[in-house]
Amino acid sequence: MQHCSTLFKEKYYILLTQISDGMEKMLLDHDENLTDSLVWAMFKEGDDRSMNVLLLRYFRPLLHYGSKFTNDRLLVEDVIQDLFLGFLEKRELLSNPACLKNYLFKCLRNNLIHAIKQNTNAFSIHDNEDIFTDLENIEEVLVATDESEEISIKLNRHFLSLTKRQKEALFLRYYENRSNDEIAEIMEINKQSVSNLLLKSLAILRENWVHILILLFFN
Amino acid sequence: MNKYENFKSSDFINDKSFRDWVLIEKSKPGFFWDDLRRQYPLLEREMRIATDFLNNIAEDAPQVSDEYINHLSERILDKHKKASRSSESRGIQLKSRFFTYSYYLAASVIILLGAGWIYSIVQQNKFSNNIETLLSDSQEGIVKKENHTDKPISFYLSDSSSITLEPNSSVSFPTVFDSKNRIVSLEGEAFFEVTKNPKQPFIVHFNALAVKVLGTSFSIRSFDSEENISVSVKTGKVSVSSKQDLNTEMPQSTLKEVMLTANQKVDYKKGDLQFEKTLTSNPVMIDRSATPRDFEFTDAPLKNIFNRLEKAYGIPIIFDENQVKDCSLTASLGDEPLFQKLDMICKTMKAHYVVVDGRILVTVTNCKN
């Protein structure tokens, strides 16, 4: 998967001074060295196959990211489909995002939130109360017998208590390796809010760590 | 190694290499982190917490096959086509997505035709019937010109367009065109210079294909012994479509139409009915006002050079603006053919180009050294 900070990998194209027919297919089908902005440029120019390239690159990440908002996978797929349909309709007018992946994430996020709101109120992603994990519960769990099981139970409970926004920020930061700045851009919040979301979610670990040590040394 | 001795779970989580090991390698043994875990058993718990934490973040990544995605792409494109077909009136769509140059007065097209004979007989029969119908709509009689000499023959049509017919070729057209279309059919090879008339499109039928223009000059070649059909545009804009486009029997989604602009060429393999767009072997400059001096560059930004070439040859040049941001070049490219110009630029700039879909795609890896 392409990373936005590195436009090109070490493996460069060979210097091509001749036109090769096979090259076209290679470029469009599999070559990861074809940067997102080039594929995007071709898409804007009217090349339909480049949309397939974009989908092969980003359909899975988008679906995964969308699952942070709703369990309704079909809805997420519909929104992704409509997103690209929208791109096709105004392809000449599309901007040149610095990082396509972040741009796609941001578009999906907006459209998905909108779609969820229209569909049902059951999946509210704007549960802004950042419920922090109840430490008493954790101590309860700490008396559990098997250690690894205990860690797992505790973390699961922790994640259940996280808000969708916290989970989303964690996903973008630690799964998609986005920087805080990029997350702020995608989620349309300021950088400080991103830090807060992440710090609160991670605070459990520090507590956890202390407890585990206690458990280790005083058992 | 000491660095990791005091690592806590949050440190592991913040280490991208650790994350990659957990999320991509699924904590497989044989990696640095696995060794570390063995060496420092105390870390194992921290690592377990970090691993659990990351797996919780990831949850289950959706499993989707490439085929599924390819199918989805097609569905989206289909949907889009249907939506735009219904909103556009049927007829000639010469609006080019690739160009903003709307001032072309003329275009030239060279069309090379050929066919495997069995296939062509089948197609030819269908084709002939159709053409007769099309041509009989005209109010006047139909003229058929044949060239049995060994030299090209030139003549004018009623709209003052001209045709240069190559040996062993024939062309049929009405003595006077009707008011809607100028329809001509061709077998063999010919060069057309079409006078511009946006209200009366000029259509050439050849084999299973048709070329539609408003005002261009182009040349068509058709020999039964050849399997490949190709259309090359010298200047201007041309629409090439498969025969099905003219009949409405075929489902909309199978319609094929290719827009060609200056110096572009399309190959049509009769076997698989696919268009393949590329460039002519030696593109001609379409900007008549351009002089060799326009291609003398002194410390010129690469972006400007590409834009100059694009304008001069009318071929879209696609590049990543980020990649060429800080690139500049001093070169004298006045007299070279286009591809040699590109070769020179690419050698100097550590770049390369490929022809993709009738356009030139340039990637610059590192123009600074």
Side-chain angles (χ1 to χ4, degrees):
Chain A
M1 200 50 62
Q2 288 200 3
H3 209 270
C4 292
S5 50
T6 54
L7 272 174
F8 260 80
K9 296 181 178 174
E10 292 80 28
K11 195 184 79 182
Y12 292 137
Y13 284 129
I14 45 162
L15 191 73
L16 248 181
T17 50
Q18 282 179 333
I19 308 152
S20 136
D21 292 338
M23 199 62 191
E24 178 182 338
K25 208 174 157 42
M26 183 188 112
L27 277 171
L28 285 173
D29 286 355
H30 300 296
D31 205 314
E32 282 190 16
N33 284 325
L34 192 65
T35 64
D36 280 349
S37 31
L38 278 171
V39 180
W40 187 247
M42 289 175 69
F43 175 73
K44 283 171 61 180
E45 292 282 331
D47 187 290
D48 286 343
R49 289 163 303 178
S50 49
M51 188 184 77
N52 193 32
V53 177
L54 293 174
L55 280 169
L56 284 170
R57 281 181 189 176
Y58 293 121
F59 182 71
R60 292 181 189 91
L62 286 170
L63 202 56
H64 198 180
Y65 181 44
S67 72
K68 300 293 159 193
F69 298 90
T70 172
N71 294 325
D72 187 349
R73 178 170 158 170
L74 284 179
L75 178 68
V76 181
E77 286 199 27
D78 276 355
V79 170
I80 297 172
Q81 192 172 324
D82 287 347
L83 182 63
F84 278 86
L85 208 53
F87 289 156
L88 280 171
E89 272 155 24
K90 47 168 190 172
R91 69 206 303 179
E92 294 96 342
L93 305 171
L94 293 169
S95 60
N96 289 316
C99 175
L100 186 67
K101 188 176 192 177
N102 292 351
Y103 174 70
L104 293 176
F105 273 8
K106 192 173 166 175
C107 292
L108 174 73
R109 186 181 198 279
N110 287 334
N111 295 6
L112 192 55
I113 288 172
H114 186 70
I116 290 169
K117 267 186 188 162
Q118 285 203 325
N119 267 23
T120 166
N121 291 322
F123 303 102
S124 167
I125 78 123
H126 280 302
D127 46 355
N128 270 320
E129 335 123 47
D130 289 347
I131 313 151
F132 186 51
T133 314
D134 193 344
L135 279 176
E136 284 169 356
N137 280 345
I138 286 164
E139 274 173 304
E140 245 172 65
V141 178
L142 273 169
V143 262
T145 45
D146 183 271
E147 198 192 6
S148 68
E149 196 185 321
E150 164 232 312
I151 292 169
S152 163
I153 292 172
K154 195 150 53 119
L155 279 176
N156 283 346
R157 191 177 288 203
H158 173 61
F159 269 87
L160 281 177
S161 74
L162 291 178
T163 62
K164 282 204 163 87
R165 281 164 71 81
Q166 283 176 318
K167 284 188 202 169
E168 183 189 353
L170 284 172
F171 175 80
L172 291 171
R173 179 69 194 86
Y174 296 113
Y175 190 84
E176 287 292 351
N177 301 312
R178 303 292 110 176
S179 70
N180 285 9
D181 280 330
E182 289 175 311
I183 297 170
E185 173 76 23
I186 293 168
M187 294 179 71
E188 290 177 323
I189 51 178
N190 63 45
K191 204 182 159 187
Q192 190 54 47
S193 308
V194 176
S195 304
N196 291 345
L197 282 174
L198 292 171
L199 277 175
K200 280 188 182 174
S201 321
L202 285 169
I204 177 79
L205 296 171
R206 205 145 288 256
E207 299 297 330
N208 201 350
W209 178 72
V210 174
H211 286 294
I212 299 283
L213 269 195
I214 291 166
L215 207 75
L216 276 172
F217 288 119
F218 302 99
N219 232 358
Chain B
M1 206 58 111
N2 286 338
K3 174 187 164 191
Y4 297 104
E5 229 175 322
N6 297 316
F7 249 40
K8 297 161 198 162
S9 54
S10 56
D11 297 319
F12 283 115
I13 290 170
N14 276 304
D15 189 307
K16 176 154 188 312
S17 150
F18 180 82
R19 292 203 298 271
D20 287 349
W21 176 59
V22 172
L23 296 171
I24 299 170
E25 303 298 338
K26 308 287 173 211
S27 307
K28 267 201 300 235
F31 284 82
F32 167 80
W33 301 103
D34 185 51
D35 297 343
L36 189 75
R37 183 165 57 181
R38 286 166 206 281
Q39 266 182 294
Y40 297 87
L42 205 80
L43 286 178
E44 190 173 348
R45 278 135 193 106
E46 289 304 310
M47 285 169 97
R48 198 198 309 267
I49 294 169
T51 306
D52 258 27
F53 192 85
L54 290 175
N55 284 331
N56 260 299
I57 289 172
E59 291 175 307
D60 288 331
Q63 299 297 311
V64 182
S65 69
D66 280 4
E67 286 72 33
Y68 185 86
I69 296 175
N70 293 338
H71 183 69
L72 180 79
S73 301
E74 276 168 33
R75 229 167 41 218
I76 295 173
L77 286 172
D78 261 17
K79 236 181 172 178
H80 173 65
K81 263 178 209 153
K82 267 176 205 153
S84 53
R85 288 266 171 190
S86 60
S87 63
E88 276 174 42
S89 64
R90 217 165 131 63
I92 296 183
Q93 297 157 24
L94 281 177
K95 281 170 285 169
S96 173
R97 284 175 186 145
F98 309 133
F99 280 83
T100 48
Y101 310 135
S102 53
Y103 48 78
Y104 292 131
L105 292 176
S108 26
V109 183
I110 299 157
I111 299 167
L112 301 160
L113 301 172
W117 66 274
I118 296 177
Y119 187 87
S120 77
I121 285 168
V122 177
Q123 286 293 321
Q124 217 74 23
N125 285 343
K126 279 195 215 160
F127 168 67
S128 310
N129 295 338
N130 208 324
I131 280 306
E132 272 160 31
T133 329
L134 286 166
L135 290 175
S136 65
D137 289 344
S138 306
Q139 285 159 354
E140 305 291 323
I142 290 158
V143 179
K144 184 170 187 178
K145 288 255 184 189
E146 294 178 355
N147 183 357
H148 298 300
T149 69
D150 57 0
K151 282 176 187 160
I153 300 172
S154 294
F155 52 90
Y156 284 93
L157 302 177
S158 62
D159 66 337
S160 65
S161 297
S162 76
I163 297 177
T164 304
L165 199 60
E166 295 293 324
N168 303 316
S169 306
S170 71
V171 62
S172 302
F173 52 91
T175 47
V176 177
F177 291 116
D178 71 27
S179 54
K180 279 181 193 162
N181 293 310
R182 291 172 283 176
I183 296 172
V184 170
S185 70
L186 171 90
E187 285 164 50
E189 180 182 5
F191 179 80
F192 293 78
E193 277 189 23
V194 178
T195 52
K196 195 183 178 186
N197 187 353
K199 287 176 185 162
Q200 200 185 13
F202 193 98
I203 301 170
V204 185
H205 294 278
F206 51 102
N207 208 291
L209 303 184
V211 158
K212 290 182 262 185
V213 296
L214 298 180
T216 59
S217 53
F218 55 93
S219 142
I220 297 179
R221 179 189 162 97
S222 168
F223 288 107
D224 288 349
S225 55
E226 291 167 15
E227 186 160 325
N228 189 51
I229 295 171
S230 71
V231 179
S232 307
V233 182
K234 233 175 174 182
T235 59
K237 287 186 280 189
V238 159
S239 150
V240 186
S241 52
S242 52
K243 195 77 162 55
Q244 285 87 339
D245 285 31
L246 295 172
N247 308 321
T248 40
E249 302 153 15
M250 301 293 286
Q252 294 277 307
S253 58
T254 63
L255 295 180
K256 291 198 179 80
E257 184 182 27
V258 174
M259 297 298 307
L260 292 182
T261 49
N263 293 312
Q264 290 183 331
K265 175 185 168 193
V266 69
D267 287 314
Y268 182 82
K269 298 255 182 330
K270 306 209 66 190
D272 56 10
L273 306 173
Q274 292 294 318
F275 287 115
E276 192 184 338
K277 206 159 143 187
T278 173
L279 289 177
T280 56
S281 56
N282 189 14
V284 181
M285 227 181 276
I286 59 148
D287 181 3
R288 297 227 173 111
S289 64
T291 64
R293 284 189 62 145
D294 289 331
F295 299 96
E296 305 281 339
F297 299 107
T298 311
D299 204 24
L302 197 50
K303 187 185 165 183
N304 296 0
I305 299 176
F306 286 149
N307 288 341
R308 182 81 55 84
L309 290 174
E310 180 173 288
K311 191 167 179 253
Y313 288 92
I315 299 170
I317 299 180
I318 299 170
F319 53 92
D320 185 340
E321 297 227 355
N322 295 330
Q323 284 178 9
V324 304
K325 204 167 47 201
D326 303 315
C327 306
S328 56
L329 178 68
T330 299
S332 166
L333 305 168
D335 301 322
E336 324 292 337
L338 175 63
F339 289 128
Q340 278 185 34
K341 287 189 176 91
L342 286 169
D343 287 348
M344 285 173 71
I345 294 171
C346 286
K347 270 176 193 147
T348 322
M349 306 306 282
K350 294 255 174 19
H352 80 274
Y353 71 90
V354 284
V355 174
V356 179
D357 207 23
R359 285 162 288 162
I360 294 166
L361 192 70
V362 187
T363 34
V364 184
T365 52
N366 184 3
C367 65
K368 281 292 168 194
N369 47 62

